[in-house]
Amino acid sequence: MWLVDDGNPRSPRTQEQTIMATFVPAARVDRIRESPSVAAAQRVRELKAQGREILDLTVGEPDFDTPDNIKSAAITAINTGQTKYTAVNGIPPLREAIAARAASRTGIQYADNQITVGGGAKQVIFLALMATVEAGVEVIVPAPYWVSYPDMVLAHDGTPVIVQCEESDNFLLTAEALAAAITSNTKWVILNAPGNPTGSVYTREQLQAIAEVIEANPHVSVLVDEIYDEINFGDAPIASLLQVAPHLRDQVLVTNGVSKSHAMTGWRLGYGLGNSGLIGAINKLQGQSSSCPSSISQAAAVEALTGDQSFLTESVRSYRLRRDLSARLLSTVPGLEPVVPQGAFYLFVNCAALIGKQTPGGTVIESDQDLVLYLLDEASVAAIQGSAYGASPYFRISFATSEAVLEKAAAQIAAAVQRLS
């Protein structure tokens, strides 16, 4: 709440100090953490500002520039006056493009009132949880998880139910673990594949088993985050839950966007497809918050979804080479065991063998966070600890950077690890 100052100065505090002293955040703010990935990126910026050369492997975005055809579509939109408010759920050409992509991928036809467009898939997920989660509601979050899932649930008074997924299961949620975690209070289960931070992908058989659990629990919905589905290192397209169980369409919210696939993170454009009642609630919330997504970003997204797709082929080829390079180099470092991903652009590295080791300064490495801090100080390499994703002892690096940077980072990590005793 805000406390009104009576205008009588009692101390020489500045106006900013007065505001900070009288502002009390709502309890929901205290329940959630600052995003670990955002915090890591900020720490890297601070060190670079001090003159340190830091090899930053924390960034969860493509290092490629947005393709020229997409930029041109945005420029055309500006030059032709497409700079006004749009419908809350996006411009018709974009909704048509989203519906066409969904139909091609799953065979399901979505109507206008079953599509929402937002300022990134992250916003769509946040609003979906805002529309459905309150005190007493449980959301099943498989771990390792994207850092924001549990805190989004907490922000809306819900309870994140963390289900640990083992490396032996490729870090994927099993049907048995899902069934065991469901209660009468369960509203959602979140599936992210390819996943951040692991890059793991579900097979059709695994999805079919999960679908059978959902069928047996009609009060449970599935939030499917497919933001990395185009960054796929397999020979076949990545399977979707709705491909194997289209009859569950009213229990499934699919979220996606153009940020990762088309190097458009800063354009902030994502979308969701699902039950018309849920989509209507999301649109109502967006109408009272951001009103609508950026009109320019929407025009760019239409081109991303319907225009030349050669960028996808070329970028995935580069990511695959970088994946193989970084996995090969780190696998030669004693004590590190990288888990080779099937999609996305992250390498999740098992560092259990280094826990308990001692730094040259005599400090004991007691956790993956200690190791990440050691690598930052000793190797000038920035990574993110596995505990931020609900899984220890691991750390995550992004290989969405040049091969030269990956080679240099691996060499510096190897040298720093060698100095442990």
Side-chain angles (χ1 to χ4, degrees):
M1 64 179 175
W2 289 95
L3 303 181
V4 179
D5 188 68
D6 61 9
N8 295 319
R10 302 179 183 83
S11 67
R13 292 187 300 183
T14 65
Q15 181 180 14
E16 181 179 2
Q17 289 172 326
T18 300
I19 291 174
M20 292 300 294
T22 57
F23 175 70
V24 181
R28 69 177 64 88
V29 178
D30 291 330
R31 284 196 296 269
I32 64 176
R33 307 165 298 166
E34 179 184 9
S35 166
S37 51
V38 171
Q42 178 59 31
R43 179 59 177 154
V44 169
R45 285 190 289 269
E46 291 170 355
L47 291 173
K48 287 183 176 179
Q50 295 170 15
R52 288 273 304 275
E53 181 185 355
I54 303 297
L55 300 177
D56 185 6
L57 304 184
T58 68
V59 181
E61 64 179 348
D63 60 320
F64 302 111
D65 197 10
T66 304
D68 287 341
N69 62 308
I70 298 174
K71 292 182 188 177
S72 295
I75 292 168
T76 298
I78 293 170
N79 289 336
T80 56
Q82 299 176 47
T83 56
K84 309 299 183 183
Y85 291 130
T86 72
V88 172
N89 64 336
I91 58 177
L94 180 54
R95 296 198 302 271
E96 291 168 9
I98 291 167
R101 185 184 187 279
S104 173
R105 179 157 164 70
T106 66
I108 295 176
Q109 302 289 333
Y110 286 93
D112 262 7
N113 65 350
Q114 296 172 316
I115 300 172
T116 186
V117 181
K122 189 173 189 176
Q123 185 192 44
V124 173
I125 294 169
F126 188 91
L127 293 179
L129 294 175
M130 179 184 286
T132 56
V133 173
E134 55 194 358
V137 169
E138 296 175 354
V139 177
I140 295 173
V141 182
Y145 47 69
W146 177 45
V147 295
S148 292
Y149 294 142
D151 290 289
M152 285 183 177
V153 176
L154 290 169
H156 301 306
D157 299 327
T159 301
V161 177
I162 309 301
V163 178
Q164 293 298 144
C165 302
E166 303 301 324
E167 185 175 341
S168 57
D169 290 320
N170 203 22
F171 298 114
L172 296 171
L173 179 67
T174 66
E176 294 77 14
L178 172 60
I182 290 175
T183 73
S184 59
N185 295 321
T186 305
K187 175 62 182 176
W188 290 102
V189 56
I190 297 177
L191 296 183
N192 175 211
N196 176 6
T198 66
S200 297
V201 172
Y202 290 91
T203 65
R204 293 180 68 92
E205 293 73 22
Q206 289 167 326
L207 290 172
Q208 182 60 55
I210 287 173
E212 290 172 5
V213 175
I214 299 302
E215 282 184 68
N217 294 274
H219 67 289
V220 178
S221 296
V222 187
L223 198 163
V224 180
D225 182 351
E226 297 187 339
I227 194 67
Y228 294 98
D229 69 343
E230 294 282 13
I231 305 174
N232 169 29
F233 306 128
D235 295 328
I238 291 170
S240 167
L241 178 63
L242 288 177
Q243 285 176 327
V244 301
H247 55 285
L248 292 178
R249 60 178 292 171
D250 282 339
Q251 286 175 260
V252 176
L253 173 68
V254 177
T255 61
N256 209 322
V258 293
S259 295
K260 312 295 185 179
S261 57
H262 292 81
M264 295 175 66
T265 51
W267 297 78
R268 306 314 304 134
L269 201 291
Y271 57 84
L273 306 102
N275 176 279
S276 60
L278 172 62
I279 296 299
I282 293 172
N283 287 336
K284 180 186 291 186
L285 290 169
Q286 180 163 247
Q288 293 291 4
S289 53
S290 59
S291 296
C292 65
S294 159
S295 60
I296 308 306
S297 295
Q298 290 185 65
V302 172
E303 176 63 21
L305 293 175
T306 64
D308 180 13
Q309 300 297 304
S310 59
F311 172 80
L312 292 177
T313 303
E314 295 165 3
S315 61
V316 170
R317 183 184 298 117
S318 294
Y319 290 138
R320 183 184 290 109
L321 291 172
R322 296 168 178 184
R323 176 200 67 170
D324 295 343
L325 173 67
S326 53
R328 176 173 56 81
L329 292 175
L330 289 182
S331 67
T332 66
V333 179
L336 297 184
E337 296 181 10
V339 181
V340 180
Q342 298 160 285
F345 38 65
Y346 307 111
L347 201 63
F348 209 46
V349 183
N350 188 322
C351 58
L354 300 184
I355 304 303
K357 296 282 188 178
Q358 196 171 79
T359 71
T363 301
V364 175
I365 303 292
E366 297 181 344
S367 66
D368 47 28
Q369 183 169 7
D370 288 345
L371 179 64
V372 164
L373 292 173
Y374 171 72
L375 294 178
L376 184 59
D377 291 337
E378 194 74 12
S380 296
V381 175
I384 302 179
Q385 67 274 17
S387 57
Y389 306 95
S392 293
Y394 297 85
F395 64 85
R396 190 202 81 171
I397 66 167
S398 167
F399 51 81
T401 188
S402 71
E403 292 182 26
V405 168
L406 292 171
E407 289 175 344
K408 186 175 182 180
Q412 292 177 193
I413 289 173
V417 169
Q418 190 173 26
R419 290 192 286 273
L420 294 172
S421 60

